[in-house]
Amino acid sequence: MGNSKEKIPLQRIDPFLWRIPASYQEGMRVPGVVYADDELIQQILDDNALQQVANVATLPGIVGYSLGMPDIHWGYGFPVGGVAATDAETGVVSPGGIGFDINCGVRLMATELVRDQIRGQVEKLADALFKALPSGVGGAGMRELTTHEMRDVMVQGAAWAVEDGYGFEEDLEVTEEHGCLAGADPDKVSPMAMQRGRKQLGSLGSGNHFAEVQYVEHIYDQAAAEAMGIGQVGQIVVTIHCGSRGFGHQIAEDYIKLAEVKQAGYGFKLVDRQLACLPLQSDEGKAYLAAMACGANFAWANRQLLMHGVRLAFSSVFGRKARAKEMPLVYDVCHNIAKIEEYEVDGQKRWVCVHRKGATRAFPPQHPALPERYRSIGQPVLIPGDMGRYSFVLAGAQGSMEQSFGSCCHGAGRRQSRTAAKKSISPRDLLDQLAARGVTIRVHSKSLLTEEAPTAYKDAQKIVDVVHNAGLAQLVVRLKPVIVVKG
DNA sequence: ATGTAC
């Protein structure tokens, strides 16, 4: 039960798909399903994350399957790399199924520059980026907000930032949800969360968050790459990975506590207290979704400010070859969120609350939520790897609608804990290793950097190959790191 | 992820 280490009875469905039968554990309402190849499934078994997939399958109102992506690993209650859909009428929302960093996500910008044009300017660009992008644990951001402005950010998201001079209307068209989740209500957010958030807009934070200058190293799908404006081998692009900082974290903490307090009254039988949840149709469930939307909107505004900082840094080094208009946003995705969406489940259309925790939306071609520009190729799916190897861009595919509630993986996935990673390599050795690979780095804390060593992560190539082969998303390009800026 | 634990 719960957190035991007993052997999970995995059934192999095909080379990339495994199933945990609902008979495995008392209370499972649906089977578990995990995407992995032979090597990844071994890593996943070692981590015990499959027990969490089985635990999530007991959630009240869960439909279809409890899903695990190939980058799955142990998390708070729910695994990171997990997807769960609950019936919108009779089901629950669980804050642990969204994660502490509400709307942690990724945005990718293109440039008109190629590798040869930045040679000799790399150190200068790295300094400019590090200066332009505030970072570090608890670090303040580019823009301190008044309480009134903070409320506007919570409701308007990325559009607030554009209106305040950080970017363009065009940026919003290629941001998931146009950078604003509906239903945000600042009155459902605690004063403590507001206080933490007011100082942090436009900051990278720490942990696995970063800004990275990369080049297009390999193109899998030329037509899709061109549609995204990243169709030239050697082309320079920039990835930003960040979320809602202390603001979203405080919202998550507040509502996890509320859910724990309320749990006894609901009478659910939960196999793990970290699955604490709120009925979607209860006042508390609605309040969480309204507060979560505030966190999500703050994160979109945050990435919009950070992107502005990147554009300023590039233009300070390259002048008119890297003006803001010459650095278009390709797309912005979130990978820690819950969304109300409609899917066909067991032959019936149903509205469900899709929990994506370390999972990226991957809508296929022709989906009405996609901007015109991406209608024929599918939604850009941005998958950062680790800082030493590579990252990937994919396009959402039809299989995601049929199999995974419009979702796929979100990154490389940890294979080592933070403490294990720290023990395995010294800051000096890691910096030497990255230099040897031609990666220039600027980092706020060298001791925290080792927690993010490439060896702490699974091989992202193997992860994306699985979702590609399973038909959830199609590979478009592979990116190699040039400059990494981190907390 | 995170004012890196209550």
Side-chain angles (χ1 to χ4, degrees):
Chain A
M1 285 280 287
N3 293 308
S4 73
K5 277 256 182 188
E6 75 177 273
K7 193 162 161 41
I8 308 259
L10 269 182
Q11 299 168 347
R12 181 160 216 169
I13 306 297
D14 67 34
F16 307 104
L17 193 58
W18 307 76
R19 182 186 169 102
I20 306 168
S23 57
Y24 163 61
Q25 177 170 261
E26 198 183 327
M28 281 177 73
R29 297 161 192 259
V30 294
V33 150
V34 184
Y35 293 86
D37 63 17
D38 290 279
E39 189 184 330
L40 287 166
I41 201 72
Q42 283 312 317
Q43 290 179 355
I44 292 166
L45 283 164
D46 291 345
D47 180 66
N48 210 27
L50 295 185
Q51 180 60 53
Q52 293 192 311
V53 173
N55 292 350
V56 169
T58 67
L59 267 194
I62 189 170
V63 302
Y65 305 96
S66 167
L67 293 125
M69 292 298 151
D71 52 338
I72 190 174
H73 59 95
W74 187 266
Y76 181 91
F78 290 59
V80 177
V83 178
T86 51
D87 187 278
E89 292 301 318
T90 61
V92 296
V93 61
S94 176
I98 284 84
F100 279 92
D101 190 4
I102 293 167
N103 189 5
C104 185
V106 186
R107 67 170 53 192
L108 174 70
M109 318 159 63
T111 76
E112 292 187 339
L113 300 163
V114 293
R115 279 182 91 190
D116 284 345
Q117 290 171 293
I118 73 162
R119 256 185 254 281
Q121 305 273 29
V122 168
E123 295 298 320
K124 196 176 165 192
L125 179 59
D127 288 336
L129 286 166
F130 189 66
K131 203 174 151 196
L133 308 173
S135 64
V137 179
M142 295 155 63
R143 175 79 157 75
E144 182 162 343
L145 304 170
T146 64
T147 305
H148 185 81
E149 287 170 332
M150 183 66 194
R151 290 177 75 92
D152 287 345
V153 168
M154 284 187 257
V155 174
Q156 297 167 25
W160 180 89
V162 169
E163 193 144 317
D164 207 50
Y166 301 92
F168 310 105
E169 286 290 330
E170 300 94 283
D171 300 335
L172 305 179
E173 286 165 27
V174 282
T175 303
E176 186 170 328
E177 304 287 344
H178 289 78
C180 182
L181 201 55
D185 181 355
D187 292 336
K188 299 296 185 282
V189 172
S190 71
M192 174 82 88
M194 295 266 283
Q195 278 311 108
R196 288 180 71 174
R198 279 203 313 114
K199 300 179 184 71
Q200 294 189 321
L201 195 71
S203 65
L204 266 180
S206 185
N208 63 0
H209 290 163
F210 62 83
E212 198 169 297
V213 178
Q214 303 153 324
Y215 68 93
V216 176
E217 180 251 345
H218 180 74
I219 298 179
Y220 297 90
D221 182 336
Q222 186 67 41
E226 279 173 20
M228 294 184 195
I230 51 172
Q232 189 182 358
V233 171
Q235 187 178 351
I236 299 294
V237 301
V238 184
T239 292
I240 295 167
H241 175 215
C242 192
S244 50
R245 308 282 287 103
F247 180 60
H249 194 276
Q250 189 64 49
I251 292 170
E253 195 182 312
D254 292 342
Y255 279 90
I256 284 168
K257 273 190 192 135
L258 175 71
E260 280 179 347
V261 168
K262 289 276 171 189
Q263 223 43 226
Y266 297 138
F268 301 140
K269 276 194 194 160
L270 299 182
V271 293
D272 179 351
R273 65 176 293 184
Q274 292 184 354
L275 293 175
C277 55
L278 303 161
L280 281 157
Q281 295 304 325
S282 69
D283 287 347
E284 292 80 10
K286 289 175 183 170
Y288 171 70
L289 286 183
M292 182 204 74
C294 290
N297 293 343
F298 182 91
W300 272 312
N302 188 32
R303 291 197 289 275
Q304 187 70 33
L305 263 72
L306 290 167
M307 178 171 72
H308 181 74
V310 169
R311 283 170 170 164
L312 289 183
F314 265 76
S315 62
S316 76
V317 176
F318 299 105
R320 59 188 293 276
K321 279 186 180 159
R323 290 176 306 194
K325 290 276 184 188
E326 279 74 32
M327 295 189 66
L329 179 58
V330 175
Y331 205 67
D332 176 303
V333 294
C334 48
H335 54 226
N336 275 13
I337 200 139
K339 298 267 192 79
I340 308 295
E341 295 168 356
E342 192 180 30
Y343 291 92
E344 194 173 305
V345 184
D346 303 325
Q348 232 186 337
K349 287 233 174 192
R350 283 169 89 167
W351 286 94
V352 292
C353 176
V354 184
H355 297 63
R356 296 193 181 97
K357 179 182 186 180
T360 311
R361 199 182 73 174
F363 282 170
Q366 308 313 326
H367 194 289
L370 297 190
E372 194 54 46
R373 190 175 154 192
Y374 298 135
R375 276 293 163 84
S376 64
I377 59 161
Q379 178 211 303
V381 174
L382 311 175
I383 308 296
D386 62 73
M387 64 176 122
R389 281 179 276 188
Y390 31 50
S391 295
F392 297 85
V393 180
L394 295 84
Q398 192 55 37
S400 76
M401 298 306 279
E402 290 149 11
Q403 304 176 47
S404 59
F405 300 100
S407 315
C408 79
C409 64
H410 86 307
R414 274 197 173 276
R415 54 174 284 277
Q416 274 183 327
S417 70
R418 290 182 180 279
T419 40
K422 200 173 252 188
K423 275 183 199 160
S424 72
I425 191 164
S426 73
R428 186 63 212 225
D429 286 348
L430 176 55
L431 288 169
D432 287 349
Q433 208 180 84
L434 291 167
R437 291 194 201 203
V439 179
T440 298
I441 187 143
R442 294 291 182 278
V443 63
H444 193 272
S445 161
K446 280 183 191 160
S447 64
L448 288 180
L449 183 69
T450 52
E451 297 182 359
E452 299 299 324
T455 45
Y457 285 92
K458 298 176 192 173
D459 184 346
Q461 179 78 62
K462 302 224 164 88
I463 306 287
V464 293
D465 284 348
V466 169
V467 298
H468 176 92
N469 286 318
L472 305 183
Q474 297 286 311
L475 280 159
V476 178
V477 305
R478 185 168 60 213
L479 308 169
K480 284 278 204 180
V482 180
I483 299 171
V484 180
V485 172
K486 288 184 66 64

